[in-house]
Amino acid sequence: MNDAPPLLGLLNRESAILNFNRRVLAQARRPDVPLLERLRYICIVSSNMDEFFEVRFADYIEAARLPGAGVSNRDLEAVAADAHALIDDQYRAFNEEVMPALQRHHIRILNHGERNEAQRQWVDQFFQRQVRPLLVPVGLDPSHPFPQVANKSLNFIVRLGGKDAFGRENTIAIVKVPRVLPRVIRLPDEISGGHQVFVLLTSVIRAHLEELFPGREVEAFSQFRLTRDSDLEVDEQDVTNLRQALRSGLTTRHFGQAIRLEVVNTCPPELSQFLLVQFALPPAALYLVNGPVNLVRLNALIDGADAPDLRFPPHEAPWPEGLSRDESFFEQLRDRDVLMHHPFDSFEPVVQFLREAVHDPDVLAIKQTIYRTGSESPLMDLLIEAARRGKEVMAVVELKARFDEEANINWAERLEAVGAQVVYGIVGLKTHAKLLLVTRREGTRLRRYGHLSTGNYNPKTARLYTDVGYLTADADLTSDADAVFQQLASLGKTRPLRQLLQAPFTLHRQVVRHIDSVTQAARAGKPARIVAKVNALTDVPIMQALVMAAQAGAHIDLIIRGACMLPPIPGIRVISVVGRLLEHSRVLYFRWGDTDEDETLLLSSADWMGRNMFRRIEVAWPVRDAKMRQRVIDECLVPYLHDLKDAWELQADGSYLRLGTDGPSAQQALMAKHSGSV
């Protein structure tokens, strides 16, 4: 690639993340989205914002403190203001749109003042039996210091009148609410008057606060919630056992640096100021919310409501076309590769493929990467069974998959207990590649079968995320996959890979080379086309290469779900699709001429971010079969470029403009298409 001048006018990454959450919040305001799903989008925004403060904003604050990091106090203040505005909009949607609409469908959340006598009696009994025994209010004085407040835990601050049992006038108390208590409680139907009635735990406690302080008057109170820096930092160069170090770090993660304080908007200023001082936070870190301080917990209402018509109709993903249920996977893959587009195609064949390998006496070895599998996983259970059956099992477990560390540590320990070979990737690099490799004895030779994916080995998220999975017996691909596994285990240099591109070695360089080829074709007046579908675009060299290609005359469409730092320019269009499903697949198409040899299509585990290209183990692979390549283009790219229902187009100022509400939806079209599959 030719030297390029520095890019000017890149969009702020943190603002881009907040803009993505605005697009998610817009789903909660769509009248064509079922009501409970609209509430779920509000919960998703809360969950996303928690992670934003726990990880992104914590790093941003640190960068603002470091000279030369490129983050000014003005930048910090602008991002904080954007976050405040977004959260205010979120609560407006909750209070003024979604909850009133749910009430019209007889689904209600009742506060204490709205409950009738029978409901108050039931709530009182629930409090006395289930809640009060677990609450320990702490009155603050020199011998009762402010208690440790865990990350994202629910708490109350109370100002008390009168004197305590010892005649003193200590006025502030803290009530910590245990995580084991349900945050949303459904009242029995017999006292709900034909409605589905829920009460929040916060409402239950606030109605009984005075009982916790006998002889004192509760003058003021507020629920509050603290968000802390939760990025788990371990110096891998300075530990002898990464698993043990991370296990130890999990115990302190909940007490990192304070980042955000949430209180209800009725909280007296002196109480919120007391908390800000206690947690050493500036005024901008205070978020006054008009409702529960943790909307994520309302997922329990969504799941507990009996209203199927207020949810998305279920999508029963069919078995992939061209793959027989009744024949051996190994026999079928010897004849052809199989491409699966999840969740439009079922994820079950991946589980069945591994199950067949586990139970086949001719299968000698199974190797798999583990990134986010969840705390319950049939795939991990099958790996454990394979080890028990005496097969050679190698699991590359990424212990630092953010917020999945504990689940992955537990799986690693269970796998090691049955004799599996467990490694934790490479020091300093996360293993984000999605690979499963099976080695089988067939006569006098060994044959490999593999599965590669753009997404995680998680059957639950495979029903919610769009991803592409690829089953193959291709000798080059499976040999390359084996070489990657060998490298992750031995730390040795591997031979040049034939088909796989691997980060941090060849993937970034080859992507830039493909963009360069398109640039040269455009300059020569040949067809020059790029369509890339990834989750984020923040890598500066890739953005530079794209700008040069566009300036040379290439036609570039970028389908970027989340953060994109590259503003649109002539020749580059950026869209984001936010719909029922979370867009997660990474598909890269390049054309630099007139012939079939002048194009390539890659599937990848990596986004176009510096961390993916240089600080992770990632893979990408070409789809060489022409028919299969066309299917990927027709399903993963073309419908999204013409989406006029769920698509937003990036504007030069970093905002997004919705392209339509009544036109075609790529996700809906693909669901309909695959529902008719055999």
Side-chain angles (χ1 to χ4, degrees):
M1 175 180 169
N2 297 328
D3 290 338
L7 279 174
L8 299 177
L10 288 181
L11 301 173
N12 179 278
R13 177 181 170 182
E14 280 63 34
S15 294
I17 294 172
L18 294 175
N19 263 322
F20 166 66
N21 282 290
R22 286 196 174 279
R23 299 194 292 280
V24 177
L25 181 59
Q27 293 292 101
R29 294 191 154 118
R30 285 177 56 167
D32 61 321
V33 173
L35 265 174
L36 288 174
E37 305 295 348
R38 291 170 63 184
L39 179 58
R40 197 184 302 277
Y41 283 114
I42 289 175
C43 296
I44 290 170
V45 171
S46 281
S47 178
N48 290 349
M49 291 303 292
D50 283 350
E51 183 169 349
F52 174 78
F53 283 104
E54 289 174 287
V55 180
R56 307 296 180 198
F57 200 58
D59 289 345
Y60 204 60
I61 292 172
E62 184 62 28
R65 292 171 177 156
L66 298 175
V71 178
S72 67
N73 284 329
R74 182 177 296 179
D75 295 330
L76 190 65
E77 290 168 3
V79 171
D82 282 349
H84 274 280
L86 171 58
I87 291 171
D88 288 344
D89 285 346
Q90 178 192 14
Y91 277 86
R92 271 192 290 272
F94 173 72
N95 289 305
E96 299 174 14
E97 299 176 41
V98 174
M99 291 313 299
L102 282 172
Q103 286 189 29
R104 291 193 289 273
H105 285 81
H106 309 294
I107 298 175
R108 305 186 63 191
I109 297 176
L110 293 186
N111 61 38
H112 180 70
E114 295 171 322
R115 297 194 279 265
N116 61 33
E117 186 58 33
Q119 292 165 346
R120 289 186 181 186
Q121 288 182 9
W122 189 93
V123 167
D124 180 68
Q125 291 178 359
F126 179 83
F127 175 80
Q128 303 300 340
R129 295 173 181 174
Q130 304 292 330
V131 180
R132 184 168 184 170
L134 298 178
L135 299 181
V136 181
V138 177
L140 304 186
D141 71 3
S143 64
H144 296 75
F146 199 100
Q148 277 275 45
V149 173
N151 180 45
K152 298 188 297 186
S153 62
L154 175 62
N155 307 270
F156 279 82
I157 182 170
V158 183
R159 188 181 71 217
L160 299 169
K163 297 182 179 181
D164 67 15
F166 304 95
R168 297 171 303 179
E169 294 183 348
N170 52 315
T171 59
I172 300 296
I174 301 297
V175 181
K176 298 169 66 174
V177 181
R179 295 186 189 273
V180 295
L181 289 170
R183 298 306 195 252
V184 179
I185 304 105
R186 181 169 175 174
L187 297 186
D189 290 343
E190 56 267 24
I191 60 171
S192 297
H195 298 260
Q196 296 184 58
V197 174
F198 297 84
V199 296
L200 302 183
L201 180 64
T202 51
S203 172
V204 173
I205 293 174
R206 65 184 289 185
H208 296 82
L209 269 179
E210 292 202 355
E211 295 181 32
L212 301 176
F213 303 97
R216 305 293 297 273
E217 178 188 359
V218 174
E219 296 179 340
F221 64 90
S222 175
Q223 52 182 283
F224 73 91
R225 181 173 180 258
L226 188 69
T227 312
R228 296 182 179 272
D229 181 351
S230 298
D231 210 5
L232 203 55
E233 295 292 342
V234 173
D235 185 354
E236 295 179 58
Q237 305 283 354
D238 196 38
V239 300
T240 57
N241 187 311
L242 180 60
R243 190 186 73 209
Q244 291 178 3
L246 284 169
R247 174 76 80 184
S248 175
L250 286 172
T251 62
T252 59
R253 157 183 272 174
H254 297 302
F255 302 101
Q257 177 190 350
I259 301 295
R260 170 183 61 162
L261 174 65
E262 296 168 278
V263 301
V264 293
N265 58 4
T266 56
C267 179
E270 65 270 21
L271 293 185
S272 59
Q273 181 61 32
F274 177 87
L275 291 171
L276 287 174
V277 171
Q278 181 64 42
F279 299 123
L281 287 170
L286 177 65
Y287 288 76
L288 301 168
V289 302
N290 185 16
V293 293
N294 184 1
L295 291 173
V296 177
R297 293 288 196 154
L298 291 177
N299 275 304
L301 184 152
I302 299 167
D303 297 335
D306 181 17
D309 56 322
L310 300 185
R311 298 187 180 89
F312 285 127
H315 171 67
E316 297 298 331
W319 195 262
E321 189 174 356
L323 182 66
S324 171
R325 293 173 179 266
D326 302 321
E327 293 180 59
S328 162
F329 279 89
F330 303 124
E331 292 177 6
Q332 295 182 76
L333 293 178
R334 283 197 293 271
D335 295 333
R336 62 190 180 279
D337 293 346
V338 174
L339 185 139
M340 297 168 290
H341 191 187
H342 310 301
F344 314 108
D345 288 324
S346 172
F347 187 77
E348 185 59 24
V350 180
V351 180
Q352 294 289 8
F353 169 65
L354 182 56
R355 181 172 287 115
E356 181 177 342
V358 170
H359 291 92
D360 187 334
D362 291 324
V363 167
L364 306 179
I366 301 172
K367 302 173 182 178
Q368 185 175 353
T369 59
I370 300 169
Y371 191 73
R372 296 191 191 279
T373 61
S375 57
E376 297 180 3
S377 171
L379 289 150
M380 296 302 97
D381 289 337
L382 285 168
L383 286 183
I384 291 170
E385 177 64 19
R388 285 178 175 149
R389 287 172 175 259
K391 300 183 189 299
E392 293 297 320
V393 174
M394 174 185 171
V396 182
V397 181
E398 180 46 68
L399 294 182
K400 296 193 299 173
R402 186 178 292 125
F403 302 124
D404 271 9
E405 296 96 342
E406 185 169 8
N408 286 2
I409 289 171
N410 291 337
W411 284 121
E413 291 173 345
R414 291 182 61 187
L415 284 161
E416 285 185 337
V418 294
Q421 176 65 55
V422 179
V423 298
Y424 306 128
I426 307 298
V427 170
L429 302 174
K430 283 187 179 181
T431 302
H432 193 248
K434 313 305 190 305
L435 298 169
L436 169 60
L437 190 67
V438 172
T439 302
R440 187 172 188 263
R441 180 191 293 116
E442 297 182 357
T444 59
R445 59 170 292 186
L446 299 179
R447 186 191 291 268
R448 301 185 186 98
Y449 299 84
H451 175 263
L452 301 88
S453 180
T454 67
N456 300 309
Y457 287 110
N458 188 322
K460 182 178 179 181
T461 58
R463 295 194 294 270
L464 306 171
Y465 295 7
T466 68
D467 274 303
V468 181
Y470 200 77
L471 286 166
T472 183
D474 180 278
D476 286 345
L477 278 178
T478 56
S479 176
D480 284 354
D482 188 60
V484 172
F485 278 113
Q486 292 292 336
Q487 182 188 65
L488 292 173
S490 70
L491 307 180
K493 293 183 179 180
T494 185
R495 60 163 177 77
L497 302 179
R498 300 185 183 98
Q499 293 295 325
L500 282 184
L501 302 176
Q502 183 188 2
F505 304 114
T506 58
L507 178 55
H508 186 267
R509 182 170 66 248
Q510 194 59 45
V511 166
V512 173
R513 282 179 179 172
H514 284 323
I515 299 172
D516 241 6
S517 296
V518 174
T519 304
Q520 299 307 319
R523 288 173 178 162
K526 297 179 181 179
R529 186 82 168 99
I530 297 173
V531 185
K533 181 177 185 291
V534 292
N535 298 329
L537 171 57
T538 62
D539 181 75
V540 172
I542 289 178
M543 290 188 285
Q544 287 178 322
L546 290 170
V547 168
M548 293 180 68
Q551 291 173 341
H555 180 196
I556 301 172
D557 279 300
L558 304 175
I559 308 166
I560 315 291
R561 184 198 78 215
C564 178
M565 293 176 61
L566 180 65
I569 63 171
I572 297 181
R573 175 181 181 240
V574 181
I575 64 170
S576 170
V577 173
V578 179
R580 170 177 175 174
L581 306 170
L582 182 120
E583 291 298 331
H584 194 254
S585 55
R586 290 92 167 189
V587 182
L588 314 176
Y589 174 80
F590 307 93
R591 173 168 278 280
W592 55 85
D594 300 294
T595 70
D596 289 345
E597 286 72 33
D598 298 329
E599 75 169 6
T600 191
L601 184 139
L602 301 173
L603 301 175
S604 178
S605 63
D607 289 311
W608 280 1
M609 305 173 70
R611 72 181 190 192
N612 295 82
M613 296 296 178
F614 300 110
R615 300 195 300 278
R616 291 187 174 190
I617 303 295
E618 304 270 17
V619 296
W621 67 99
V623 181
R624 294 186 290 179
D625 178 82
K627 184 177 179 181
M628 198 173 290
R629 186 164 63 243
Q630 191 61 50
R631 180 190 165 193
V632 174
I633 293 170
D634 290 344
E635 291 195 8
C636 298
L637 299 179
V638 172
Y640 293 92
L641 296 178
H642 296 91
D643 192 302
L644 293 175
K645 193 177 186 71
D646 300 324
W648 300 72
E649 186 165 356
L650 177 61
Q651 309 299 296
D653 63 355
S655 64
Y656 281 77
L657 178 67
R658 186 169 224 141
L659 294 180
T661 57
D662 299 321
S665 160
Q667 293 182 359
Q668 291 178 7
L670 288 166
M671 282 185 178
K673 174 184 176 181
H674 283 254
S675 293
S677 300
V678 177

